[in-house]
Amino acid sequence: MCGIVAYIGPRQAYPVILKGLKRLEYRGYDSAGVALLNHGLKVYKKKGKVADLEESLIGKDLEAHAGIGHTRWATHGEPSDRNAHPHSSASGKLAMIHNGIIENYTQLKTELTKKGYQFKSDTDTEVLLNFIEDIQKNNNCELEEALRIALKRVVGAYVLVLLDQDNPDTIIAARKGSPLVIGIGKGEHFLASDASPIIEYTKDVVYVNDFELAIIKADELVLKNLGNEKITPFVQKLDLELTAIEKGGYDFFMLKEIFEQPDTIFDCLRGRLDVNNRTITMAGVQNNIEQLKNANRIIIIACGTSWHAGLLAEYVFEELCRVPVEVEYASEFRYRNPVIHAGDVIIAISQSGETADTIVAIERAKEQGAFIFGVVNVVGSSIARISNAGAYTHAGPEIGVASTKAFTAQLVVLIMIALKLAKEKKSIDDDRYVYLLNELHNIPEKVKEVLLLDDDIKKLADKYKNAKDALYLGRGYNFPIALEGALKLKEISYIHAEGYPAAEMKHGPIALVDDSLPVVFVATKDSYHQKIVSNIQEIKARKGKVIAVISAGDDMIPKMADDIMMVPEADEIVAPLLSVIPLQLLACYIGIAKGYDVDKPRNLAKSVTVE
Ligand code: G6P
């Protein structure tokens, strides 16, 4: 959370930073600000979105060739102008932006307050900045040295970027726990939380590692560790096109990303699934096959939508591979004292690869000897780098805060891993294996068919947009989809929604049912179909409004449901890839009908880099 951008070089810094901040707004949009170096330090900041900052700066002198910018997701201190970044030091000579949390900031603040420091904001960032300046003053040292000393005292996670009025040709940055990419141009450098602000200028990038400091001039990049030793930067080529991060004619990224799913699923399968040769090629699985085959247990850790993908994977792995699976919220796993054995395999699922809780959960499991397999979307992200092995989801950049295409890509990767493992373990018979390969292969075309429901779902959205609550019910493989459908609705339309296993509704949620409650059933044809039909009848008997996602050819549910969304028939293991799509569209259109910015739902951020 929080996006950072910086520039140093011959271009005007402000337009580069502003454009970059707009691309990083998915990381937070409570406030935005820039600091520019031009005959002194100028800091401008504003509560609200980057566009609000831009408007407030019309007519200002923004000339500068070095600058830093920030878009905030508030942690310490409410969203306001004064809590917005960049923060200035007491002397006014330093400005700093920060992504992360300084956990021991109250202790540092007490020390500084005793020395007479006063603070203009409620943030941990301002405290750290003054702590750095205080060290610099007391030790009469360079900023770089003061930063190194300060960071040895800091507990928490950060990317920090500093401007120093007395050294206008240098930007200094440091990283621990939050992401930082440096773009290397000709006589210029770019810094950002991810590569999106950088790609139109250069494809040469360096991903900064934890506990590294970057000292950057227009034509020089020096990386050092906290012990002041130089590190050779590892320059990589970006594999990302500008079009991938633009809206491409859609009003919202979320809609674009929903409609991209035939392609993203195809991309995810491409080069891996070969129906003719009946193979799945995944180097990360193949190279570690003994480890995976011999796992006593698989533990899946993830957060949010990725956790829902993990829940579905539990069902698939247990069914196909006959291995016990547990699914854990990373935020719980990291703090309890889980029993982990050396033979355990952890599958960590993350779109961003930067979710703080998932990263720490991985570290805890690694310490105890577990093997970590990452299922990650963002190439080169922290989780991709700390995993022992992994598979990318290849969904391309996902910018809408509510995850859609990354979720279906995660499911595809997880199903492929399960199939490959099942084949190796001989826990699946050949006919079923070949059948499921074909079923997966056919998914992109079937997703295209589902997307034709677009107009009908818009009408449904209009019909149900004023609901106060909604219940989402599913059984078996469709239970995680019910959870995901409910999450999508509450995230972007602010309608209270709960997902439940359909049979469990009798143990509580059924008390909520009346003629105003929409109940969404995820009821595609599977082994439990007859059971879910009974659940629908139970809701109808209590006058609930039933909206059902059903399979083509189902002639029973249309007679009972108020509204239906029909998807092509598919095996129950791959059917969730179809049944989730109408739910994504429904949530998206309800959000839009209510006039909300579905790409930037209130209080949320796409990449949760704080715990
Ligand atoms: C945030 C996002 C969700 C995402 C979750 C986990 O809450 O808004 O869309 O599912 O983080 O993120 P990850 O990047 O680890 O999948």
Side-chain angles (χ1 to χ4, degrees):
M1 16 222 6
C2 297
I4 59 128
V5 189
Y7 175 78
I8 187 159
R11 295 172 204 263
Q12 284 298 326
Y14 174 69
V16 174
I17 292 169
L18 189 76
K19 204 181 216 185
L21 289 179
K22 285 183 179 167
R23 297 222 174 112
L24 291 179
E25 261 192 311
Y26 72 85
R27 302 178 65 86
Y29 29 83
D30 290 331
S31 63
V34 291
L36 301 167
L37 264 179
N38 176 23
H39 308 301
L41 197 55
K42 295 197 180 79
V43 178
Y44 304 103
K45 42 200 203 170
K46 187 93 195 130
K47 180 182 168 183
K49 297 191 174 155
V50 176
D52 299 311
L53 172 76
E54 183 180 18
E55 205 184 303
S56 72
L57 295 188
I58 292 169
K60 293 260 181 347
D61 173 17
L62 302 168
E63 166 84 29
H65 296 282
I68 57 180
H70 188 268
T71 177
R72 179 170 186 246
W73 187 85
T75 58
H76 296 66
E78 58 167 14
S80 63
D81 289 356
R82 70 188 183 88
N83 285 330
H85 299 214
H87 290 283
S88 315
S89 62
S91 72
K93 287 186 176 177
L94 303 178
M96 185 167 88
I97 49 177
H98 170 210
N99 166 205
I101 287 184
I102 307 304
E103 288 171 18
N104 57 340
Y105 90 103
T106 36
Q107 196 186 334
L108 302 178
K109 192 169 185 173
T110 311
E111 288 174 25
L112 291 171
T113 309
K114 279 188 196 145
K115 290 181 171 183
Y117 279 84
Q118 289 180 341
F119 298 93
K120 301 183 280 281
S121 77
D122 309 315
T123 63
D124 50 346
T125 309
E126 191 192 4
V127 172
L128 177 57
L129 178 60
N130 282 309
F131 183 61
I132 296 166
E133 183 163 77
D134 191 59
I135 292 173
Q136 191 182 12
K137 212 167 63 188
N138 295 337
N139 294 271
N140 195 19
C141 61
E142 295 289 323
L143 176 59
E144 180 194 325
E145 176 64 14
L147 179 60
R148 226 184 335 265
I149 298 170
L151 292 182
K152 289 184 184 150
R153 282 278 317 271
V154 163
V155 180
Y158 52 78
V159 158
L160 305 169
V161 187
L162 288 113
L163 280 185
D164 177 358
Q165 183 174 287
D166 293 340
N167 285 296
D169 62 345
T170 309
I171 290 178
I172 298 188
R175 169 198 160 137
K176 186 205 152 206
S178 302
L180 176 62
V181 191
I182 300 175
I184 304 170
K186 287 201 175 66
E188 58 185 353
H189 284 101
F190 306 81
L191 291 86
S193 301
D194 73 24
S196 62
I198 296 175
I199 44 169
E200 64 201 89
Y201 309 108
T202 177
K203 295 224 162 174
D204 293 329
V205 294
V206 172
Y207 291 95
V208 179
N209 291 311
D210 280 351
F211 304 111
E212 286 180 359
L213 245 65
I215 302 102
I216 303 161
K217 298 182 192 303
D219 53 6
E220 188 187 50
L221 162 65
V222 176
L223 278 189
K224 290 185 178 175
N225 62 20
L226 292 188
N228 200 21
E229 292 157 340
K230 281 197 181 174
I231 298 162
T232 310
F234 174 51
V235 182
Q236 302 186 46
K237 279 263 177 253
L238 271 181
D239 179 20
L240 182 66
E241 295 304 326
L242 193 56
T243 46
I245 55 163
E246 289 174 339
K247 279 193 198 149
Y250 287 90
D251 290 339
F252 294 96
F253 279 110
M254 184 175 178
L255 266 184
K256 177 191 171 216
E257 286 157 6
I258 293 172
F259 278 89
E260 273 174 350
Q261 289 177 106
D263 295 332
T264 50
I265 294 175
F266 182 79
D267 288 344
C268 188
L269 295 170
R270 194 194 353 232
R272 290 169 162 170
L273 184 89
D274 183 340
V275 275
N276 297 324
N277 290 313
R278 303 174 169 195
T279 53
I280 292 173
T281 309
M282 296 177 102
V285 179
Q286 198 56 54
N287 297 341
N288 299 284
I289 199 68
E290 290 307 316
Q291 187 90 34
L292 296 167
K293 256 167 73 177
N294 298 328
N296 300 320
R297 183 170 70 139
I298 292 176
I299 305 169
I300 299 178
I301 49 178
C303 301
T305 288
S306 298
W307 188 88
H308 294 155
L311 194 57
L312 192 102
E314 175 186 21
Y315 287 45
V316 179
F317 275 86
E318 291 208 340
E319 163 93 33
L320 299 182
C321 309
R322 307 310 298 152
V323 56
V325 180
E326 285 163 35
V327 190
E328 299 254 9
Y329 288 110
S331 53
E332 287 298 314
F333 183 87
R334 65 178 283 192
Y335 282 116
R336 57 186 198 81
N337 195 3
V339 179
I340 299 170
H341 304 291
D344 289 342
V345 166
I346 302 277
I347 299 184
I349 310 172
S350 175
Q351 186 287 126
S352 62
E354 300 294 349
T355 301
D357 283 325
T358 311
I359 292 175
V360 180
I362 292 172
E363 284 162 356
R364 295 278 168 283
K366 247 183 153 176
E367 282 158 19
Q368 295 182 57
F371 177 83
I372 316 292
F373 192 97
V375 174
V376 173
N377 194 38
V378 177
V379 176
S381 56
S382 301
I383 294 177
R385 288 186 288 153
I386 61 175
S387 297
N388 299 101
Y392 282 118
T393 47
H394 296 313
E398 190 180 64
I399 293 164
V401 165
S403 185
T404 53
K405 64 174 182 171
F407 176 69
T408 46
Q410 287 167 345
L411 296 186
V412 170
V413 165
L414 291 161
I415 295 170
M416 282 196 291
I417 298 171
L419 275 170
K420 191 166 171 65
L421 196 56
K423 178 84 176 137
E424 290 282 345
K425 289 181 82 172
K426 302 191 177 36
S427 54
I428 186 169
D429 68 54
D430 275 355
D431 288 351
R432 178 109 177 104
Y433 173 75
V434 172
Y435 177 69
L436 283 173
L437 289 192
N438 278 289
E439 282 292 277
L440 256 186
H441 175 79
N442 295 335
I443 285 293
E445 282 307 311
K446 291 185 181 176
V447 171
K448 279 187 194 159
E449 277 182 57
V450 180
L451 291 168
L452 297 176
L453 294 173
D454 186 42
D455 280 339
D456 295 344
I457 296 178
K458 252 185 227 161
K459 286 179 200 138
L460 275 188
D462 225 46
K463 180 169 169 188
Y464 290 105
K465 68 179 182 214
N466 295 321
K468 295 273 172 290
D469 305 277
L471 197 55
Y472 282 67
L473 302 175
R475 303 179 81 117
Y477 294 106
N478 276 328
F479 162 52
I481 301 304
L483 293 182
E484 177 59 9
L487 176 63
K488 288 285 90 79
L489 188 73
K490 65 188 148 203
E491 274 182 306
I492 54 177
S493 74
Y494 317 144
I495 294 173
H496 166 243
E498 283 193 51
Y500 247 80
E504 273 293 305
M505 66 149 180
K506 290 196 214 67
H507 302 286
I510 200 162
L512 300 171
V513 178
D514 62 17
D515 60 3
S516 71
L517 184 80
V519 183
V520 180
F521 276 91
V522 194
T524 49
K525 278 208 189 119
D526 54 19
S527 343
Y528 325 85
H529 194 245
Q530 198 47 53
K531 305 271 175 215
I532 208 155
V533 170
S534 307
N535 297 138
I536 292 176
Q537 275 162 338
E538 287 154 8
I539 294 291
K540 282 313 296 174
R542 285 155 185 90
K543 300 196 167 29
K545 296 269 174 290
V546 170
I547 308 162
V549 180
I550 61 168
S551 304
D554 184 330
D555 49 11
M556 233 180 333
I557 296 181
K559 290 182 196 138
M560 304 168 213
D562 294 83
D563 292 286
I564 54 160
M565 298 181 275
M566 192 181 278
V567 301
E569 264 199 281
D571 184 272
E572 61 185 6
I573 287 186
V574 299
L577 288 160
L578 306 177
S579 55
V580 73
I581 288 167
L583 305 185
Q584 296 170 342
L585 280 172
L586 183 65
C588 188
Y589 283 132
I590 290 182
I592 294 170
K594 294 179 87 171
Y596 300 140
D597 179 350
V598 294
D599 287 340
K600 301 190 192 89
R602 71 183 177 209
N603 304 337
L604 296 177
K606 181 136 196 83
S607 186
V608 182
T609 54
V610 296
E611 63 173 283

